[in-house]
């Protein structure tokens, strides 16, 4: 079995999904889970793209020690220097440099000749090599590039010091056979190709990202790039859980293996969908809610007689459990702490105290508290930004009836510590609530997106809401959970506003320091 490296870009390409906007604590929790999942390399962000990205990449590089951490950079000295500042404390500092090689990108986007693209790539790889021991160079839009030109530039960047060559299907245009042939051609044509590893990076515009990645592996690629749940730009990236499980389940056919701990897949998928607000479709391969459900009578009958009749993957393989009853009303702190340890999550004493308090409150309303509920509570606490002055919900009441005008009354504590109240109407209960909140909050607010979901199943399941607001013209995401859907909706709305305020406060603090 040849070992295929998994390069996870959930925190970079995945975070480029429309509407996704993670804070640095959320990114850190995802990074820790990716480390538990056993990815070989994680791309933590694009340090030069924003101060937030720089800080998140630095925090992850400082913290994660069992996985190689990388960051994306354009082929410019400032991008490389900024990436170095963010990544220098990583266990194995690694840079991901990219420049486009297709005629359409060179002509219209870069306005550079092919010779200039070669020169800039070579110069910047040599420059980066003075700092970074590991350099991946990517030919953006490789699949729409001229193969002879690719061979020419690849040979030169290898001589300049690149250690990995990545040929992305940036726009999800290629097909499995064509992508495989491209790697075959490069391996046959580039004389120094044995000095580097080859990497594939596929987007899913035509729904072939996973198939294309596996075809690349069959043609000598030893590193697969992608994201958990396949999130990413447009239709997303290759879903890493699908690649890893396909190689495992069809190991009779594919002589390749990854180092992923497959039973961490479900938890990784859940965490990422929870924090990004990008829910996984029910029929998604490997981790969709229906992936292990059998509806037709004939199938159910077959599975009861022998699960292998209709099940090629056991749910346990990917960490899907039946979410058995966990702790209840009478459970003590000791048992609760043991459960937290089982998740592999570290909490401070203060955080354990708060989590236990919230767990106890939940047991007052919910008979069966599941692992999913506990995990949700813990993640809310772990990813809450440091205490600053913000809006806090004091009390609220929503009146709704089919014959009445929906009305909400809300009392809030403002960042200045003042208590304010008002009431407004709306066409529905959530609209009435949001109109009232918006009335009490000073910022200019517009609701762009609203989602409500349940955590796990059951009629007493926790509700989880995601919203996207425009706050003073800036898109900001928020997330909230509660036993009740209306309260979860209020929490998500306030969370978005508070995230904006936290960001503004940190900008102001920096101006004062300057
Ligand atoms: O899709 C792409 O081409 C990329 C590069 C930056 C590697 O994400
Ligand atoms: Zn990409």
């Amino acid at each position: 079995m040849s070992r295929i490296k998994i390069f996870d870009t959930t925190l970079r390409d995945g975070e480029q999904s429309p509407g996704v906007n993670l804070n640095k604590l959320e990114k850190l929790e995802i990074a820790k889970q990716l480390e538990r999942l056993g990815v070989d390399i994680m791309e933590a962000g694009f340090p030069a793209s924003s101060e937030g990205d720089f800080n998140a990449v630095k925090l992850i590089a400082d913290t994660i020690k069992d996985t190689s951490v990388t960051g994306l950079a354009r082929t410019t000295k400032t991008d490389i220097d900024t990436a170095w500042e963010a990544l220098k404390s990583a266990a194995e500092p690694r840079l991901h440099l990219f420049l486009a090689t297709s005629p359409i990108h060179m002509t219209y986007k870069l306005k550079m000749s092919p010779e200039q693209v070669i020169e800039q790539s070579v110069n910047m790889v040599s420059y980066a090599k003075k700092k970074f021991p590991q350099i991946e160079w990517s030919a953006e839009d490789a699949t729409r590039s001229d193969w002879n030109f690719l061979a020419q530039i690849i040979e030169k960047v290898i001589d300049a010091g690149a250690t990995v060559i990545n040929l992305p299907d940036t726009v999800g245009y290629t097909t499995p056979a064509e992508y495989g042939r491209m790697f075959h051609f490069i391996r046959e044509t580039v004389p120094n190709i044995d000095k580097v590893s080859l990497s594939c990076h596929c987007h899913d515009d035509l729904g072939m990202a996973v198939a294309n990645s596996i075809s690349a592996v069959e043609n000598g690629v030893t590193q697969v790039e992608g994201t958990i749940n396949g999130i990413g730009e447009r239709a997303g990236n290759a879903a890493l859980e699908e690649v890893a499980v396909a190689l495992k389940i069809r190991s009779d056919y594919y002589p390749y293996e990854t180092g992923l701990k497959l039973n961490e897949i479900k938890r990784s998928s859940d965490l990422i969908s929870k924090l990004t607000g990008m829910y996984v479709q029910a029929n998604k391969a490997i981790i969709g809610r229906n992936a292990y459900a059998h509806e037709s009578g004939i199938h159910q009958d077959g599975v009861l007689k022998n699960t292998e009749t209709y099940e090629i993957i056991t749910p346990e393989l990917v960490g899907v459990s039946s979410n058995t009853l966990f702790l209840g009303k009478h459970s003590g702190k000791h048992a609760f702490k043991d459960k937290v340890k089982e998740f592999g999550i570290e909490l401070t004493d203060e955080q354990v105290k708060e989590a236990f308090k919230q767990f106890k409150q939940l047991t007052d309303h919910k008979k069966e508290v599941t692992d999913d509920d506990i995990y949700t509570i813990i993640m809310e606490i772990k990813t809450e930004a440091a205490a600053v002055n913000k809006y806090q919900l004091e009390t609220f009441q929503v009146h709704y009836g089919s014959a009445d005008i929906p009305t909400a009354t809300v009392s809030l504590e403002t960042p200045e510590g003042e208590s304010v109240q008002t009431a407004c109407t709306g066409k529905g209960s959530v609209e009435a609530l949001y109109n009232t909140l918006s009335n009490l909050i000073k910022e200019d607010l517009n609701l762009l997106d609203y989602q409500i979901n349940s955590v796990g199943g059951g009629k007493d399941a926790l509700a989880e809401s995601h919203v996207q607001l425009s706050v003073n013209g800036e898109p900001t995401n928020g997330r909230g959970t509660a036993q009740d859907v209306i309260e979860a909706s209020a929490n998500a709305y306030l969370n978005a506003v508070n995230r904006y305020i936290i960001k503004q406060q940190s900008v102001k603090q920096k101006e004062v320091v300057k």
Side-chain angles (χ1 to χ4, degrees):
M1 286 279 179
S2 326
R3 173 78 153 72
I4 303 300
K5 283 192 176 170
I6 294 293
F7 176 118
D8 179 279
T9 181
T10 305
L11 292 170
R12 200 277 299 168
D13 229 344
E15 221 242 350
Q16 285 173 221
S17 307
V20 173
N21 182 356
L22 299 165
N23 70 27
K24 84 176 174 189
L25 293 179
E26 290 165 338
K27 288 186 184 173
L28 182 64
E29 284 313 311
I30 291 177
K32 287 182 185 167
Q33 180 56 35
L34 293 173
E35 192 179 34
R36 282 191 283 271
L37 175 65
V39 306
D40 298 283
I41 298 146
M42 67 175 84
E43 187 163 48
F46 184 172
S49 68
S50 71
E51 199 182 329
D53 240 39
F54 176 90
N55 291 335
V57 175
K58 178 151 174 39
L59 178 66
I60 291 168
D62 291 350
T63 315
I64 300 293
K65 296 298 163 205
D66 288 340
T67 302
S68 180
V69 178
T70 190
L72 185 69
R74 287 162 294 200
T75 48
T76 67
K77 286 187 181 172
T78 25
D79 268 32
I80 296 168
D81 294 343
T82 310
W84 174 247
E85 286 311 309
L87 289 159
K88 63 185 175 195
S89 63
E92 188 197 24
R94 183 182 281 266
L95 182 68
H96 181 187
L97 270 180
F98 75 101
L99 192 60
T101 50
S102 64
I104 187 158
H105 277 233
M106 291 191 291
T107 311
Y108 295 102
K109 185 183 84 173
L110 300 174
K111 300 193 185 341
M112 286 168 81
S113 67
E115 292 70 32
Q116 286 171 318
V117 167
I118 295 181
E119 193 187 339
Q120 185 161 320
S121 295
V122 167
N123 287 346
M124 289 305 108
V125 170
S126 313
Y127 179 77
K129 195 67 184 177
K130 294 190 196 113
K131 301 172 196 270
F132 288 91
Q134 300 291 336
I135 299 175
E136 170 170 323
W137 178 80
S138 287
E140 191 190 10
D141 205 16
T143 51
R144 292 192 297 168
S145 304
D146 176 83
W147 289 6
N148 287 310
F149 176 60
L150 277 180
Q152 210 188 332
I153 190 166
I154 289 170
E155 182 182 348
K156 299 214 162 93
V157 293
I158 295 174
D159 282 341
T163 51
V164 179
I165 299 295
N166 178 36
L167 300 180
D169 183 27
T170 304
V171 292
Y173 179 73
T174 197
T175 68
E178 183 186 57
Y179 200 45
R181 273 209 317 276
M182 183 178 80
F183 280 104
H184 183 80
F185 172 83
I186 293 299
R187 288 178 65 216
E188 292 290 299
T189 316
V190 177
N192 52 1
I193 201 73
D194 290 340
K195 290 195 181 149
V196 294
S197 333
L198 283 173
S199 181
C200 63
H201 176 117
C202 296
H203 282 265
D204 208 30
D205 300 67
L206 294 176
M208 292 194 276
V210 169
N212 289 340
S213 304
I214 292 181
S215 171
V217 168
E218 289 182 289
N219 283 278
V221 161
T222 55
Q223 177 175 292
V224 174
E225 305 192 3
T227 60
I228 301 300
N229 298 343
I231 64 170
E233 286 270 11
R234 306 181 310 279
N237 289 58
L240 290 175
E241 68 281 2
E242 293 182 22
V243 173
V245 174
L247 295 182
K248 169 79 184 169
I249 295 295
R250 294 308 311 274
S251 57
D252 58 319
Y253 185 78
Y254 294 125
Y256 316 106
E257 63 187 3
T258 70
L260 286 199
K261 296 187 188 70
L262 301 181
N263 60 2
E264 286 290 336
I265 284 179
K266 179 66 166 69
R267 179 142 297 145
S268 309
S269 163
D270 283 352
L271 178 66
I272 287 154
S273 69
K274 186 183 292 300
L275 298 185
T276 58
M278 292 195 67
Y279 290 104
V280 167
Q281 81 212 42
N283 62 330
K284 160 91 172 61
I286 316 297
I287 29 91
R289 200 175 59 243
N290 293 351
Y292 305 95
H294 303 279
E295 181 68 22
S296 100
I298 295 172
H299 286 208
Q300 287 173 349
D301 179 55
V303 168
L304 285 173
K305 288 176 176 147
N306 180 339
T307 47
E308 282 180 32
T309 50
Y310 288 102
E311 236 175 55
I312 59 160
I313 313 165
T314 63
E316 292 72 28
L317 179 79
V318 296
V320 174
S321 71
S322 46
N323 199 9
T324 44
L325 173 65
F326 163 53
L327 303 173
K329 211 174 175 57
H330 304 292
S331 307
K333 205 169 193 169
H334 199 73
F336 183 79
K337 271 184 166 172
D338 279 354
K339 180 50 84 181
V340 173
K341 230 190 245 155
E342 221 176 84
F343 292 143
I345 294 167
E346 283 166 30
L347 294 183
T348 62
D349 289 347
E350 227 14 68
Q351 287 171 331
V352 173
K353 222 164 122 190
E354 178 57 28
F356 188 64
K357 191 177 109 198
Q358 290 190 23
F359 158 70
K360 279 290 181 187
Q361 280 167 357
L362 187 59
T363 60
D364 283 343
H365 305 280
K366 196 170 192 283
K367 239 171 85 194
E368 299 183 349
V369 177
T370 62
D371 282 10
D372 277 353
D373 296 324
I374 304 285
Y375 194 68
T376 302
I377 291 175
I378 292 170
M379 277 306 153
E380 289 299 313
I381 292 172
K382 287 285 288 181
T383 57
E384 196 182 356
V388 286
N389 300 332
K390 50 191 181 187
Y391 286 98
Q392 296 199 54
L393 189 61
E394 289 178 334
T395 56
F396 76 96
Q397 193 185 10
V398 176
H399 178 82
Y400 179 83
S402 55
D404 299 324
I405 296 173
T407 311
T409 313
V410 177
S411 168
L412 275 189
E413 187 184 316
T414 68
E416 294 75 33
E418 208 188 321
S419 182
V420 290
Q421 299 85 24
T422 197
C424 291
T425 58
K427 287 188 217 77
S429 38
V430 174
E431 195 191 335
L433 175 74
Y434 284 2
N435 285 346
T436 317
L437 286 169
S438 164
N439 210 286
L440 291 173
I441 293 167
K442 277 194 222 134
E443 324 300 327
D444 178 27
L445 304 173
N446 255 306
L447 183 66
L448 303 176
D449 192 25
Y450 168 78
Q451 295 181 52
I452 187 88
N453 272 279
S454 67
V455 175
K459 63 180 183 337
D460 56 358
L462 274 178
E464 184 171 68
S465 171
H466 280 90
V467 299
Q468 193 180 33
L469 296 185
S470 152
V471 188
N472 299 332
E474 203 175 297
T476 313
N477 291 22
R479 194 178 75 248
T481 43
Q483 181 90 75
D484 174 76
V485 288
I486 298 290
E487 191 171 345
S489 307
N491 290 343
Y493 195 90
L494 287 177
N495 181 254
V497 175
N498 286 331
R499 273 175 191 248
Y500 173 85
I501 291 173
I502 291 166
K503 208 165 142 197
Q504 292 308 104
Q505 282 177 353
S506 77
V507 171
K508 270 197 203 125
Q509 272 164 10
K510 274 188 202 111
E511 277 164 6
V512 171
V513 173
K514 272 189 207 158

